[in-house]
Amino acid sequence: MNPGRGALEPDAVTALAADAYVYGSPLVRQLSAVQACLQEGCGTLAPAPFNDFAHADGPATPGTHTPYAPADLVDALAQLDLSGGPVRLHVPDTGGAYYVLQFVDAWGNAFAYLGTRATGTGEGDWMVVPPGWAGTVPDVVSGVIDAPTSVVSVLGRLACDGPEDMPRVRALQQELTLTHLGDRAHRTGLPATEAGVPGELRFFEELRVWMADFPPAAADRAYQDRFQPLGLLEEGISPYVSAGPGLVRALRRGLALGRLRVEEAARPHTVAAEGSPGAWRMIPHLRDYNLDHLGVGTLGSPEWKIPDREASYLVRAVAARRGRWLPHGYEAVYAHTARDSRGRPLDGAHRYALHLAQPPPVGAFWSLTVYDTPGGHLVTNAADRYAIGDRTSGLVHGDDGSLTLHLSADPPADAAGAANWLPLPAGGFRPVLRLHLPGQAVLDGGYVVPALQRLGDGLGP
């Protein structure tokens, strides 16, 4: 077969290739990340084989080179391979402390959660089983997690109140274990793509191989069948090793158009579209593209599903582009801003105040962290303080219960201001407000985070 010839004109092949990029880029991004975690590690996490956890040494510090890493959570990460059978996951008793384990399939769908919100903080054992598994479930397990694909990422986040809290967290890390229960050996790596495919067609080759090994939900397969003229459904020898020049041109153009479509959709809204200058941006519904596999700890009500399946593909691609492993909005929402209340860019040369008449409504905790721009990294400060929130000891509230946080390079002169101080880096910065288990007012827009007020410039607040 010579895909792309005879059936479709070049412009139609280009348009189809753009659709294929939007549809398939989450799969390629997700499995490329899995492969990197197995071979090279992920951020501060060392590489780990399938069915084993990698643990961070602690929360993010200025030495952490992962952009926008949290300063009050400790990461855990495991890549599961279920091709040889189920895996048993043991979770420890965290004594009421917040944690979450998020399960993500090969297509980037968060399909299950364990932890504080979903299953509580007690000890338990869970079976993670591959698609179509029909074995016997032992009586001793807490439940079964049905995986939509045979490769799954498990993202763990454990709350940590600073260096003095790390012994407790390390004990939990030791108890967070995986045991392979299958009767066959599991994979040691991902299905290999064919050598000899030109670099400009590598995306389509990865999509071709990985679509076959990790099929999507049944409802997606009819849409996927559209890509037959591109060679994406070909089995055996890759059609891209010796693709004709016409097909190569159409695929290359389609790839560029698809990327542009995702980039355009991922652009932040303008200030005018968001409302007032300095408005905080949050997207609690960016993960609503999972329409088919909603397991333990997920919410399947209509407000958490995109009604248009084809539209969900673009949202999924944007989510994969912006933050591959972020959770659903009902687990956590992250708000950020780049400007003050007058629309001026944030800069550490100035002093700012964030006045919270009411604290953010959350079921777990909230915290504010600042990062440099454009890198998105923590910057060393003399106070060694990188996050402030409702777990910070010694915060000073107003008589009416309000809370004013002070953001500046140097500490405020008064004791109350110093207690509520978050140090700023020199130059541009971006604050991120993390809301864990956000209340309904956050999710429906009823709670609005106030804009940062720039102080001391002689122009008023």
Side-chain angles (χ1 to χ4, degrees):
M1 175 188 175
N2 191 359
R5 286 192 174 179
L8 295 176
E9 294 297 321
D11 286 351
V13 176
T14 295
L16 196 60
D19 289 345
Y21 178 84
V22 173
Y23 172 79
S25 60
L27 176 70
V28 173
R29 284 182 183 272
Q30 169 68 11
L31 291 180
S32 296
V34 169
Q35 193 160 259
C37 291
L38 296 173
Q39 298 174 355
E40 307 159 18
C42 181
T44 60
L45 298 172
F50 273 128
N51 302 335
D52 199 4
F53 271 105
H55 291 288
D57 293 332
T61 68
T64 301
H65 299 297
T66 304
Y68 299 105
D72 49 12
L73 294 170
V74 179
D75 290 336
L77 178 62
Q79 309 301 338
L80 307 189
D81 183 88
L82 308 171
S83 60
V87 168
R88 183 173 64 206
L89 167 64
H90 178 78
V91 295
D93 185 343
T94 68
Y98 176 82
Y99 87 99
V100 61
L101 295 177
Q102 174 184 344
F103 295 75
V104 179
D105 71 10
W107 289 85
N109 297 303
F111 67 91
Y113 293 89
L114 302 179
T116 303
R117 175 192 59 83
T119 55
T121 60
E123 184 177 12
D125 287 275
W126 295 81
M127 282 187 69
V128 188
V129 304
W133 185 80
T136 301
V137 179
D139 293 337
V140 294
V141 300
S142 304
V144 174
I145 296 172
D146 293 294
T149 54
S150 59
V151 165
V152 167
S153 297
V154 183
L155 298 312
R157 303 173 184 93
L158 291 79
C160 181
D161 289 335
E164 66 281 356
D165 194 29
M166 274 308 298
R168 178 191 64 84
V169 174
R170 290 192 185 97
L172 296 176
Q173 292 174 333
Q174 293 297 317
E175 296 182 58
L176 188 61
T177 59
L178 293 161
T179 306
H180 177 59
L181 301 178
D183 55 5
R184 306 180 308 279
H186 59 75
R187 296 185 185 96
T188 57
L190 292 177
T193 55
E194 192 162 327
V197 173
E200 59 190 351
L201 301 184
R202 175 57 52 184
F203 168 83
F204 294 101
E205 172 65 3
E206 291 174 337
L207 184 56
R208 180 188 75 90
V209 171
W210 290 340
M211 278 197 322
D213 277 85
F214 307 102
D220 289 335
R221 291 176 191 171
Y223 185 86
Q224 186 171 286
D225 287 346
R226 301 169 60 242
F227 304 132
Q228 176 68 47
L230 305 179
L232 285 173
L233 305 184
E234 292 294 298
E235 299 179 358
I237 297 174
S238 172
Y240 306 120
V241 172
S242 56
L247 178 61
V248 171
R249 282 194 300 272
L251 292 178
R252 186 173 62 240
R253 291 170 181 168
L255 189 66
L257 286 173
R259 285 174 173 160
L260 180 61
R261 190 183 305 171
V262 174
E263 291 293 331
E264 288 288 333
R267 284 186 179 179
H269 296 310
T270 63
V271 170
E274 289 191 16
S276 59
W280 293 70
R281 177 172 168 77
M282 63 177 77
I283 312 178
H285 292 284
L286 186 61
R287 302 290 157 181
D288 294 359
Y289 50 80
N290 181 8
L291 307 178
D292 304 291
H293 300 290
L294 296 163
V296 176
T298 61
L299 300 182
S301 49
E303 66 266 32
W304 296 107
K305 287 185 174 182
I306 295 171
D308 184 327
R309 181 172 292 271
E310 190 167 337
S312 76
Y313 301 145
L314 181 57
V315 177
R316 184 176 65 182
V318 169
R321 160 71 177 78
R322 296 192 57 176
R324 185 170 42 248
W325 291 328
L326 294 177
H328 278 93
Y330 48 76
E331 184 67 38
V333 169
Y334 306 143
H336 61 90
T337 186
R339 296 181 179 273
D340 67 13
S341 59
R342 291 188 173 182
R344 298 169 294 194
L346 300 176
D347 193 295
H350 304 285
R351 308 171 73 91
Y352 300 87
L354 176 61
H355 180 72
L356 302 172
Q358 296 178 335
V362 292
F365 69 94
W366 64 266
S367 66
L368 180 69
T369 307
V370 295
Y371 302 89
D372 68 1
T373 57
H377 301 119
L378 301 172
V379 176
T380 301
N381 63 74
D384 203 28
R385 175 182 276 190
Y386 302 100
I388 192 169
D390 58 2
R391 296 183 299 163
T392 303
S393 61
L395 289 180
V396 178
H397 292 77
D399 293 339
D400 58 357
S402 64
L403 179 67
T404 300
L405 302 180
H406 296 271
L407 287 69
S408 58
D410 299 318
D414 63 298
N420 297 359
W421 173 53
L422 184 61
L424 291 181
F429 71 92
R430 181 179 294 269
V432 176
L433 181 65
R434 292 181 169 88
L435 309 172
H436 296 274
L437 308 190
Q440 186 58 41
V442 173
L443 299 175
D444 63 20
Y447 179 84
V448 177
V449 183
L452 286 171
Q453 304 286 325
R454 195 169 97 181
L455 307 176
D457 59 4
L459 300 175

